[in-house]
Structures are given as structure tokens and as C-alpha cells.
Amino acid sequence: VQLQASGGGLVQAGGSLRLSCAASERTSSYAPMSWFRQTPEKEREFVAGIDTWSNTPHYADSVKGRFTVSRDKAKNTVFLQMNSLKPEDTAVYYCATRNGRIITSAINRAGAYEYWGQGTLVTVSS
């Protein structure tokens, strides 16, 4: 499975960006699709994801109310709408998925995912 992320760029604080991640194929009917981000100073951290078994979105506390994760099941694509961006949102954003379902408590764990996109850089200027 190959994941192709796109949509990153440079935006001013308070602005918006929409990331997309297209999977070359569907791993399974209920594989989660999630977004993580990483900076040189921090380990990769969970941003948002969709548990496709329950069709429930999950968010990191730092992005709740500002980011929205969604998917187009027919196109094997997941989106991340990012509004009210802050300089601390600056990072390389990665999409990820896996084979099979995921338990809710593991959706935010990078180690639970088997497939990763190449990353797309988001830079938020102050």
C-alpha cells in the first residue's frame, strides 16, 4: 500500500490548509486512516484519525475544534482540514494506515500503523 500526501504549504497564523492522503489500495474495509506530525524537536505525534469500524473521528487535544478529519471511502482518501492554524502547528504531516481494525486506545499510537505516506510540510508563520 502506498500513501501519497499533499496539500502542505506556507500559511499565516489564523489561516487554513487542507491536506489530502490517497491510498493506492484499501488495506481492509475497517482500516483506520490517521494523521501524525513531527518536528525536529519532537517525536512523531498523533493529530487526528478515523476509526472506520465505527466511523468515529479522534483528535489530539491540541487540535480539537480547529482540525477536522474526513474521508472519501470510494477514493481511499483521507483529508485533514486545518483551520485557525498556529505557529506551533508547523511540522511535517504524515498519513498512516494499517491492515485491519484498530482498538480505540491504539489509534493514537504510531507503532500501530504499518503504512506511512512521505510527509507534507506545513509551515505557519506568526
Side-chain angles (χ1 to χ4, degrees):
V1 175
Q2 294 185 345
L3 302 176
Q4 182 69 42
S6 61
L10 174 63
V11 64
Q12 289 187 332
S16 299
L17 282 174
R18 188 188 194 214
L19 306 183
S20 300
C21 176
S24 59
E25 60 187 273
R26 194 168 61 181
T27 56
S28 74
S29 297
Y30 300 112
M33 295 191 78
S34 296
W35 291 94
F36 289 75
R37 65 187 181 188
Q38 189 169 20
T39 66
E41 298 78 26
K42 292 183 179 180
E43 293 184 353
R44 193 166 297 190
E45 65 175 3
F46 174 78
V47 177
I50 290 185
D51 178 350
T52 59
W53 171 257
S54 61
N55 204 32
T56 301
H58 298 267
Y59 299 95
D61 288 342
S62 59
V63 306
K64 281 180 181 177
R66 300 188 298 122
F67 291 10
T68 301
V69 62
S70 61
R71 68 173 181 137
D72 183 330
K73 184 177 180 180
K75 296 182 178 179
N76 296 330
T77 301
V78 64
F79 304 97
L80 184 67
Q81 178 66 43
M82 305 186 295
N83 298 329
S84 302
L85 282 162
K86 304 175 181 179
E88 51 263 44
D89 294 319
T90 295
V92 177
Y93 284 70
Y94 298 90
C95 56
T97 190
R98 54 174 279 134
N99 289 308
R101 294 175 54 188
I102 193 168
I103 59 174
T104 300
S105 60
I107 199 167
N108 62 350
R109 299 176 190 171
Y113 294 83
E114 300 165 79
Y115 305 103
W116 293 84
Q118 84 286 5
T120 185
L121 176 62
V122 172
T123 304
V124 184
S125 63
S126 57

